[in-house]
Amino acid sequence: MVAGAIVDACRRRVLLAQRRYPVEVAGLWELPGGKAEPGERAETALGRELMEELGVEVSVGDRLRETVDLPAGLTLMALWAHIVAGTPHPAEHQALRWVDAAALRALTHDGRLVPADTAWVPELLAVLE
């Protein structure tokens, strides 16, 4: 599983997507992404998923330090990304939102971030501030 830490050109905001499903996380915010196909590189999978979910082409960068173990033996990783073409729209999510460090802190504090994504908050904040 891959997630994209999509930052704006000034590296002051990150793009979050609001989940529609499953019920356990519906309404919570996350870094957008999805599943890698068997044998697919993480960078390729992230680019494909962000095109499908948001309608944007991205330039994919380095991985964030943390990985997150998920049920069923899956592992979630996040990679830095920048939009190079397109305007993001929520094809598979309720909404999209650009957030700065203060808003990310508030979402985390209020429990409105998908639990798995909280692993990246310290690294995201270090870049956004």
Side-chain angles (χ1 to χ4, degrees):
M1 304 270 315
V2 292
I6 304 170
V7 291
D8 65 8
C10 298
R11 296 181 64 94
R12 303 315 262 167
R13 298 179 305 159
V14 64
L15 185 64
L16 297 181
Q18 190 176 37
R19 295 291 306 244
R20 285 187 191 176
Y21 58 86
V23 68
E24 305 84 44
V25 292
L28 298 181
W29 295 89
E30 69 177 355
L31 297 177
K35 291 184 179 180
E37 300 294 334
E40 187 177 35
R41 291 178 34 145
E43 296 84 357
T44 304
L46 183 61
R48 177 183 50 73
E49 285 290 336
L50 295 178
M51 178 57 77
E52 291 171 6
E53 289 189 6
L54 307 178
V56 295
E57 181 181 339
V58 296
S59 170
V60 179
D62 294 333
R63 285 180 48 184
L64 280 73
R65 288 185 296 272
E66 300 294 327
T67 58
V68 179
D69 292 327
L70 299 173
L74 297 174
T75 300
L76 177 61
M77 70 175 67
L79 298 100
W80 294 105
H82 295 277
I83 296 172
V84 296
T87 301
H89 63 277
E92 296 185 16
H93 293 88
Q94 274 182 255
L96 300 176
R97 179 176 168 193
W98 288 99
V99 299
D100 61 11
L104 180 59
R105 246 191 231 93
L107 288 170
T108 304
H109 178 268
D110 295 344
R112 294 187 293 149
L113 199 64
V114 169
D117 287 19
T118 61
W120 301 307
V121 169
E123 192 170 355
L124 292 169
L125 290 173
V127 168
L128 299 177
E129 294 181 311

